[in-house]
Amino acid sequence: MRAIAKSRPAPGVEIIDVDEPAIRAGCVKVRVEHGSICGTDLHIYNWDAWSAGRIRPPRVIGHEFCGTIVEVGEGVTDRRVGDFVASESHIVCGQCRQCLNGQGHVCVNTVILGVDVDGGFAPFAVIPSANARPVPEAVPRRVASLMDALGNAVHTVMAGPVEGRTVLITGMGPIGLFAAAICKALGAAKVYATEVSPYRIGLAEKAGADTILNPSRENAGEALRRMEPGGVDATLEMSGHPSSLPLALEHTRPGGRVSLLGVFPDVIDCFDLNKAIFKGLDLQGIVGRRLYATWDQMNWLLSEKGLDVTSVITNEMPFSEIEQAMQTLKAGQAGKIVLSFE
Ligand SMILES: NC(=O)c1ccc[n+]([C@@H]2O[C@H](COP(=O)([O-])OP(=O)(O)OC[C@H]3O[C@@H](n4cnc5c(N)ncnc54)[C@H](O)[C@@H]3O)[C@@H](O)[C@H]2O)c1
Ligand SMILES: [Zn+2]
Ligand SMILES: [Zn+2]
């Protein structure tokens, strides 16, 4: 079969011939329908220090995908041929202390699809049955391809109360955009957002953010002080930009929460942690999705609460156009790009 792969230790990805994966015990074989490109895929494409240190080519990439189960492996009792499923990218051990305590999202033996083992940017993928999450019928099929990323946003937003609360989201990349839509679906009183890219500010309006501030053009701190003098109830950091951290600590109300999902490129030393202490802030590190509570919450939001994230999908193309897709993403001129594998 033809698959999108990192074929050698250098920048770029290629479409190469690989063997169709064979079914294994405990796994299901998925006929992939759609895949969605993640920032992680762009890191792999660029062959940055992180990916060069972690990925062993040749590797089929892609960890956000959906499709139909065509074969189930020995011992699989909870999935059937014909089930439509979305991928959870983290394969966890089920044995470590975290896994045994319902904290699989911080499993110390986590293996990531499309990074440590072959992923789903191919016509077929074989993945553990637990990682093939059944998708409710109400969910549009192309949306199912990005549920792994949507789960990051659901995990962050629902790590504290939202209904009737004021929320600041820093960074309107795909995950920040999802978070804005989720906050609105959950009845947030007001959603403030920060974003520096005019293109993504446009997407933030569509995703439902009430007020969008551009820190590169205005003093976002001053604007927030004017609109929310007491501070917002919660800040969700989704930019990975160091300047968002002091903004979060300054403009979250005493006793509020600051949930940190964005990954900073370097160690940060430009903020005053005493502020968090004396304001009694609840500072949370957020990684991955709660396994598998986040998936239940996501299914509920999509099928019962009217969560609509289709505006975040800006491009759809056949997987043969991966090069163009990567260039569009690199230029910052996209929300989510969905690839078709049919
Ligand atoms: N913790 C986890 O498990 C996890 C999982 C996935 C992604 N992430 C991280 O979450 C973050 C969001 O992911 P994404 O895919 O949406 O990334 P992204 O890079 O597409 O989005 C980040 C956005 O922040 C904006 N931004 C840059 N500087 C800013 C500033 N000073 N103020 C406000 N916005 C600014 C960018 O223009 C961009 O739109 C990234 O840092 C990513 O690495 C973490
Ligand atoms: Zn992803
Ligand atoms: Zn584990």
Side-chain angles (χ1 to χ4, degrees):
M1 62 175 187
R2 306 282 285 160
I4 300 175
K6 173 63 84 180
S7 58
R8 54 204 162 82
V13 290
E14 283 162 349
I15 296 179
I16 59 170
D17 277 317
V18 296
D19 290 339
E20 202 174 294
I23 191 69
R24 298 186 301 275
C27 292
V28 295
K29 183 169 177 176
V30 179
R31 168 83 183 86
V32 178
E33 208 168 89
H34 292 99
S36 178
I37 305 178
C38 177
T40 304
D41 300 318
L42 192 56
H43 285 293
I44 297 171
Y45 178 90
N46 290 335
W47 203 236
D48 64 4
W50 167 80
S51 53
R54 179 141 175 183
I55 299 203
R56 300 279 159 266
R59 172 73 63 231
V60 175
I61 68 161
H63 58 271
E64 302 179 5
F65 55 94
C66 63
T68 304
I69 294 179
V70 291
E71 206 177 339
V72 299
E74 198 189 319
V76 175
T77 55
D78 53 351
R79 302 286 184 274
R80 286 167 201 280
V81 169
D83 286 354
F84 186 70
V85 295
S87 61
E88 158 58 54
S89 64
H90 289 189
I91 302 173
V92 298
C93 75
Q95 317 275 318
C96 71
R97 187 165 172 203
Q98 287 66 240
C99 281
L100 292 174
N101 282 286
Q103 296 178 311
H105 62 296
V106 281
C107 168
V108 287
N109 301 309
T110 301
V111 165
I112 303 181
L113 285 172
V115 173
D116 305 308
V117 293
D118 282 341
F121 282 1
F124 293 98
V126 170
I127 62 175
S129 65
N131 291 69
R133 308 307 306 168
V135 179
E137 258 178 35
V139 179
R141 293 203 151 196
R142 61 214 167 100
V143 170
S145 73
L146 50 76
M147 287 176 76
D148 187 87
L150 181 61
N152 286 127
V154 170
H155 183 181
T156 315
V157 173
M158 296 185 79
V162 170
E163 192 182 10
R165 299 332 198 255
T166 49
V167 183
L168 166 66
I169 307 170
T170 50
M172 289 283 111
I175 301 182
L177 293 166
F178 291 148
I182 296 161
C183 286
K184 295 303 282 189
L186 288 172
K190 188 138 194 205
V191 177
Y192 298 93
T194 62
E195 174 58 57
V196 292
S197 144
Y199 178 84
R200 286 195 164 162
I201 287 173
L203 292 182
E205 284 163 8
K206 289 186 192 150
D210 296 303
T211 301
I212 307 155
L213 304 165
N214 182 344
S216 70
R217 300 236 170 108
E218 63 195 304
N219 186 328
E222 218 167 86
L224 283 166
R225 197 167 297 117
R226 201 174 54 244
M227 293 181 291
E228 292 293 335
V232 295
D233 293 304
T235 298
L236 317 178
E237 202 312 284
M238 301 187 152
S239 71
H241 193 278
S243 66
S244 297
L245 204 46
L247 199 72
L249 299 189
E250 184 69 40
H251 297 282
T252 308
R253 70 165 172 84
R257 69 150 160 148
V258 175
S259 304
L260 304 169
L261 178 94
V263 178
F264 300 104
D266 286 302
V267 174
I268 312 245
D269 57 4
C270 65
F271 69 101
D272 181 5
L273 204 48
N274 283 343
K275 201 158 264 167
I277 295 165
F278 290 117
K279 284 175 91 173
L281 293 178
D282 192 359
L283 274 189
Q284 309 169 312
I286 307 275
V287 61
R289 297 140 297 282
R290 288 197 167 266
L291 305 178
Y292 293 90
T294 300
W295 284 88
D296 293 341
Q297 291 169 326
M298 190 157 38
N299 289 346
W300 170 75
L301 282 162
L302 287 165
S303 50
E304 309 283 334
K305 297 295 284 180
L307 175 64
D308 181 1
V309 293
T310 47
S311 70
V312 183
I313 301 174
T314 52
N315 306 67
E316 294 181 65
M317 42 185 91
F319 83 99
S320 55
E321 289 174 24
I322 183 67
E323 184 59 35
Q324 188 198 323
M326 287 298 192
Q327 291 306 330
T328 307
L329 210 60
K330 224 172 155 168
Q333 295 301 303
K336 269 292 188 191
I337 300 182
V338 171
L339 302 172
S340 158
F341 288 88
E342 288 176 302

